[in-house]
């Protein structure tokens, strides 16, 4: 792994140079130079949809944990305190000030139209917050006011996709747009996520921890709110479902039979990847408004809850 870093303990030699480890060469040097871009992205995400706050909090939590662990691996005393004192100013500037500036900047067209009235702008933010807080899933008759509600616990099961658009011609051809996940990825995640969590605990692999922490922080808030929910709220979580599956598949593909070079799980890995691609192609017509006959449409609606 190259020469040892001055001041590095022998047990840590090499680990700091492993590209798979979130460890830098000098724990006394701040490493938040990439944080401003994360802060800008977080501000843009929250300006687009307030749910982006969960992803932004995830970035802050992971960034701080990585800095603490980096110092811990180098044997730094009081790694939490050292991380705060070393990285604190940069984190505040990059991950609090920068996103606030970006969020505010997205309202410049609003200010140009309505005037630079900060009080009116703040009142608008409050009204938006109250709207979301008071939004109820049931109408006055006690019935769901939208047919495609989907609570958070149903997302990974693909219990209820979103029907965005439908057009029907006189000759029986329909064109629809559904927000639907790939069954291989979502259902495969039911196995992959526990496996990655176990790998994090067993191997202390920061990559596994990154996937698990992100999924938990992005998912958990939706279990704690009562407002109406839809499957499309899982869109930011889906890439991490993919990463969980990839992590598990990579480990399976590298497993060998004791005393041989045989890799017994490799066909399973190849089959899963092939199934993911095939299912993406199979559902493509209902994702993109492609014309389908009634029979072709029904072949893609596997459960009554899907339509």
């Amino acid at each position: 792994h190259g020469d040892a870093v001055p001041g590095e303990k022998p047990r840590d030699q090499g680990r700091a140079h492993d590209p798979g480890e979130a460890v830098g060469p000098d724990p006394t040097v701040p490493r938040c130079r990439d944080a401003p871009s994360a802060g800008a992205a977080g501000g843009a995400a929250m300006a687009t949809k307030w749910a982006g706050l969960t992803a932004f909090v995830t970035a802050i939590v992971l960034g701080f944990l990585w800095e603490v662990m980096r110092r811990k691996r180098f044997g730094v005393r009081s790694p939490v305190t050292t991380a705060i004192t070393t990285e604190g100013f940069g984190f505040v500037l990059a991950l609090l000030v920068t996103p606030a500036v970006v969020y505010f900047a997205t309202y410049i067209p609003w200010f140009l139209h309505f005037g630079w009235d900060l009080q009116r702008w703040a009142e608008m933010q409050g009204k938006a917050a109250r709207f979301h807080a008071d939004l109820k899933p049931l109408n006055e008759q006690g019935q769901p006011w939208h047919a495609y509600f989907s609570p958070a616990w149903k997302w990974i099961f693909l219990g209820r996709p979103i029907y965005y658009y439908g057009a029907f011609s006189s000759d029986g051809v329909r064109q629809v747009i559904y927000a639907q996940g790939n069954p291989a990825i979502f259902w495969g995640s039911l196995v992959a996520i526990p496996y990655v969590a176990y790998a994090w605990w067993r191997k202390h692999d920061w990559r596994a921890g990154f996937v698990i922490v992100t999924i938990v922080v992005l998912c958990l808030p939706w279990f704690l709110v009562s407002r109406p929910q839809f499957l499309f709220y899982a869109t930011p979580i889906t890439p991490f479902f993919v990463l969980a599956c990839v992590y598990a598949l990579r480990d399976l593909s590298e497993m060998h039979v004791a005393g041989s070079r045989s890799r017994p799980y490799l066909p399973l890995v190849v089959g899963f990847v092939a199934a993911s691609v095939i299912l993406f192609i199979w559902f493509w017509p209902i994702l993109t408004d492609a014309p389908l006959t009634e029979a072709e449409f029904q072949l893609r609606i596997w459960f009554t809850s899907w339509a």
Side-chain angles (χ1 to χ4, degrees):
H1 289 288
D3 296 332
V5 176
E8 183 180 352
K9 290 188 176 181
R11 64 181 174 83
D12 286 324
Q13 289 181 9
R15 294 192 65 187
H17 303 281
D18 185 347
E21 294 285 356
V23 183
D26 188 345
T28 64
V29 177
R31 299 183 65 208
C32 56
R33 59 182 180 276
D34 295 328
S37 58
M46 288 183 285
T48 303
K49 192 172 183 66
W50 282 355
L53 178 63
T54 58
F56 187 55
V57 170
T58 304
I60 295 175
V61 171
L62 286 173
F64 180 73
L65 288 177
W66 280 335
E67 292 306 322
V68 171
M69 294 307 299
R70 182 164 70 97
R71 288 161 174 78
K72 186 176 180 179
R73 286 170 180 165
F74 271 100
V76 174
R77 294 182 179 179
S78 303
V80 174
T81 302
T82 305
I84 293 174
T85 56
T86 306
E87 308 283 354
F89 177 77
F91 265 54
V92 169
L93 184 63
L95 298 178
L96 291 179
V97 176
T98 299
V101 170
V102 171
Y103 182 87
F104 187 81
T106 62
Y107 279 93
I108 289 177
W110 185 91
F111 284 110
L112 293 176
H113 182 77
F114 293 103
W116 294 88
D117 189 338
L118 291 178
Q119 182 177 354
R120 184 178 179 182
W121 178 81
E123 290 174 352
M124 181 186 66
Q125 302 293 305
K127 288 179 180 179
R130 287 191 294 274
F131 169 81
H132 290 289
D134 297 338
L135 197 59
K136 304 300 181 184
L138 304 179
N139 58 24
E140 295 179 355
Q141 290 73 39
Q143 300 294 326
W145 57 263
H146 197 290
Y148 287 89
F149 283 154
S150 179
W153 70 268
K154 285 187 176 182
W155 295 347
I156 198 169
F157 298 103
L158 295 178
R160 189 67 164 164
I162 309 297
Y163 181 55
Y164 282 138
Y165 169 80
F168 307 88
S169 64
S170 58
D171 57 358
V173 174
R174 70 169 70 196
Q175 295 174 263
V176 299
I177 298 178
Y178 273 89
Q180 173 67 297
N182 188 314
I185 298 300
F186 277 71
W187 297 343
S189 296
L190 291 169
V191 177
I193 290 173
Y195 176 83
V196 176
Y198 173 73
W200 184 25
W201 172 78
R202 181 172 59 88
K203 299 190 294 185
H204 302 288
D205 187 346
W206 72 269
R207 289 164 293 196
F210 166 70
V211 173
I212 294 301
V213 170
T214 305
I215 290 175
V216 169
V217 178
L218 290 179
C219 284
L220 186 60
W222 293 110
F223 287 87
L224 306 178
V225 298
S226 59
R227 63 150 291 148
Q229 299 169 3
F230 300 90
L231 178 63
F232 67 76
Y233 291 164
T235 302
I237 311 171
T238 304
F240 298 95
F241 288 167
V242 175
L243 289 176
C245 291
V246 168
Y247 189 100
L249 292 171
R250 182 202 61 180
D251 277 11
L252 286 175
S253 69
E254 294 175 351
M255 288 183 181
H256 291 79
V257 174
S260 74
R261 302 185 63 181
S262 174
R263 294 189 289 175
Y265 296 106
L266 189 57
L268 174 64
V269 172
V270 174
F272 183 90
V273 174
S276 300
V277 174
I278 291 170
L279 286 172
F280 173 73
I281 296 171
W282 177 249
F283 286 106
W284 180 255
I286 66 172
L287 302 176
T288 59
D289 192 30
L292 292 169
T293 65
E294 179 65 21
E296 292 170 337
F297 174 75
Q298 292 298 332
L299 287 173
R300 290 163 174 82
I301 302 302
W302 293 356
F303 305 99
T304 55
S305 65
W306 283 15

